[in-house]
Amino acid sequence: MTQQPLRGVTSLRFNQDQSCFCCAMETGVRIYNVEPLMEKGHLDHEQVGSMGLVEMLHRSNLLALVGGGSSPKFSEISAVLIWDDAREGKDSKEKLVLEFTFTKPVLSVRMRHDKIVIVLKNRIYVYSFPDNPRKLFEFDTRDNPKAAHPTPHLHTLGLCDLCPSLEKQLLVFPGHKCGSLQLVDLASTKPGTSSAPFTINAHQSDIACVSLNQPGTVVASASQKGTLIRLFDTQSKEKLVELRRGTDPATLYCINFSHDSSFLCASSDKGTVHIFALKDTRLNRRSALARVGKVGPMIGQYVDSQWSLASFTVPAESACICAFGRNTSKNVNSVIAICVDGTFHKYVFTPDGNCNREAFDVYLDICDDDDF
């Protein structure tokens, strides 16, 4: 008797505008709408086997799939398969329209309307996409940090971010130097050239999390220490603000900007999702010592930092990704947390720091009878 595969979640990803999220599982793939929460479609185990990674292209019919888990069907973890659900036919192979194969495992995939980015341990490939793909760029990188968490694809493997904006084609990934970020404008870099990306010395230890805002004007990053989140202007490369998650080391799973870049949220293995103000940083909490005046250099680093204006907790043992929901009113915003244990959390917060749970659900229990 064949043992049924586990239901376990192997990775979670929001789409480019955080209106949907995709879930790679031992049992296949699930796609969900965020607000309202509903399953938009699924690929079952018989169709695709167990999955290690899945990436959406906005709300289109295209998915990037990377095998993984205990029973992958199509290929090893060193290939990216493009699934086109608009293709007619019930045979899974008829819907697999492209394949990118490598000699080393694929750690992450990012897509925009005209490009696909595939990340290996110390190399990043950029291809034109989806029509007649050809390799445009190849970048060497510092080795990606090694994940110690059982759900590695939420955070430390294959770090990079790709701006979805039509106006800006910015790619960011860890630099060769420890703690540095490399920024590449794919629109101004000529294919086939080896022009060096611009480097920002962001942290003293290895980068653990990185995120671009929607227009690609600001990049946020955190190191493996996980106590600080630093934001930089992608044009001038100047540091804009330093946000303090806490004083104890933590592994950050996710950093995301609100749609208008007024706020930022971050999740970690502490089980706390922090919310920071960016447009009006006066809303962020400050250390009580900041009102005292002159302090010593060791204390000064804490006094100068800005602490989150609001926060909420999810199960600490369950890794999660977080993003901002639709605004319900001018002074009320919301943050969504999606956890690998199958739970969905929505909290609303106000500029004065009040934060309350508005919704809770188990997304794995929400089913749609139709395939994706």
Side-chain angles (χ1 to χ4, degrees):
M1 184 176 70
T2 303
Q3 184 179 0
Q4 291 298 312
L6 298 174
R7 201 185 190 197
V9 174
T10 55
S11 75
L12 291 168
R13 281 283 297 167
F14 286 107
N15 68 342
Q16 287 80 2
D17 66 359
Q18 290 102 47
S19 63
C20 296
F21 68 95
C22 46
C23 180
M25 305 176 65
E26 287 285 345
T27 53
V29 170
R30 285 191 175 190
I31 306 295
Y32 295 89
N33 189 73
V34 173
E35 293 183 287
L37 178 64
M38 64 175 70
E39 186 181 276
K40 298 292 290 181
H42 60 265
L43 307 177
D44 61 30
H45 189 269
E46 185 178 331
Q47 290 175 287
V48 296
S50 60
M51 278 287 130
L53 294 170
V54 58
E55 180 81 2
M56 300 177 67
L57 179 59
H58 297 284
R59 300 177 72 96
S60 75
N61 49 289
L62 296 179
L63 294 174
L65 308 175
V66 179
S70 60
S71 53
K73 179 175 181 179
F74 293 113
S75 64
E76 297 301 319
I77 58 176
S78 56
V80 178
L81 305 174
I82 304 301
W83 178 281
D84 184 354
D85 198 63
R87 284 291 184 99
E88 295 183 1
K90 294 186 176 181
D91 188 348
S92 298
K93 292 185 177 180
E94 294 176 12
K95 294 180 180 289
L96 293 171
V97 294
L98 290 172
E99 182 172 350
F100 301 87
T101 305
F102 304 91
T103 58
K104 293 183 180 179
V106 173
L107 302 182
S108 67
V109 181
R110 298 290 182 266
M111 291 193 290
R112 51 177 283 135
H113 70 283
D114 59 351
K115 292 179 177 66
I116 183 169
V117 176
I118 299 169
V119 185
L120 310 186
K121 183 180 179 182
N122 50 22
R123 188 159 293 179
I124 292 179
Y125 296 91
V126 182
Y127 295 86
S128 59
F129 183 82
D131 299 324
N132 302 316
R134 60 188 180 91
K135 187 170 71 174
L136 301 176
F137 307 103
E138 186 176 330
F139 302 107
D140 290 329
T141 70
R142 182 179 179 83
D143 281 359
N144 278 286
K146 292 185 178 177
H149 197 277
T151 52
H153 295 307
L154 286 189
H155 54 294
T156 57
L157 291 182
L159 293 176
C160 84
D161 203 12
L162 180 64
C163 178
S165 169
L166 294 173
E167 290 76 31
K168 203 154 192 170
Q169 299 186 31
L170 194 64
L171 176 67
V172 60
F173 51 90
H176 287 285
K177 181 182 176 183
C178 179
S180 69
L181 295 171
Q182 294 193 44
L183 297 173
V184 183
D185 185 349
L186 300 176
S188 62
T189 304
K190 293 182 180 180
T193 62
S194 58
S195 57
F198 199 98
T199 301
I200 294 175
N201 293 317
H203 302 273
Q204 292 182 333
S205 54
D206 275 315
I207 303 294
C209 202
V210 64
S211 179
L212 288 164
N213 66 346
Q214 288 284 323
T217 56
V218 181
V219 60
S221 64
S223 73
Q224 285 186 330
K225 190 175 179 183
T227 54
L228 296 172
I229 300 169
R230 293 188 173 121
L231 278 69
F232 298 87
D233 185 298
T234 59
Q235 196 68 36
S236 68
K237 315 304 186 292
E238 294 295 320
K239 185 169 76 171
L240 299 174
V241 67
E242 183 173 281
L243 308 172
R244 181 166 289 279
R245 182 212 54 80
T247 55
D248 295 331
T251 298
L252 265 73
Y253 297 131
C254 180
I255 298 173
N256 254 323
F257 291 84
S258 62
H259 303 291
D260 62 357
S261 301
S262 292
F263 297 97
L264 178 143
C265 61
S267 62
S268 74
D269 63 351
K270 295 292 186 181
T272 305
V273 176
H274 291 275
I275 304 162
F276 300 89
L278 301 182
K279 187 175 182 180
D280 185 359
T281 56
R282 294 172 300 177
L283 298 174
N284 293 326
R285 293 182 299 114
R286 309 291 176 121
S287 168
L289 292 172
R291 297 189 292 270
V292 174
K294 189 175 181 180
V295 295
M298 291 299 292
I299 299 177
Q301 61 180 319
Y302 299 107
V303 173
D304 294 339
S305 295
Q306 301 182 28
W307 300 65
S308 59
L309 77 91
S311 64
F312 62 90
T313 59
V314 296
E317 67 277 5
S318 182
C320 78
I321 56 175
C322 56
F324 289 87
R326 294 196 301 260
N327 289 1
T328 55
S329 71
K330 185 177 180 180
N331 292 317
V332 179
N333 297 273
S334 63
V335 171
I336 310 291
I338 314 293
C339 298
V340 295
D341 66 358
T343 57
F344 171 97
H345 309 257
K346 179 181 179 180
Y347 280 76
V348 294
F349 69 96
T350 56
D352 61 2
N354 282 326
C355 189
N356 297 289
R357 188 166 79 177
E358 185 175 84
F360 171 84
D361 217 322
V362 180
Y363 63 85
L364 290 181
D365 290 342
I366 300 173
C367 294
D368 177 12
D369 292 335
D370 296 328
D371 289 341
F372 178 67

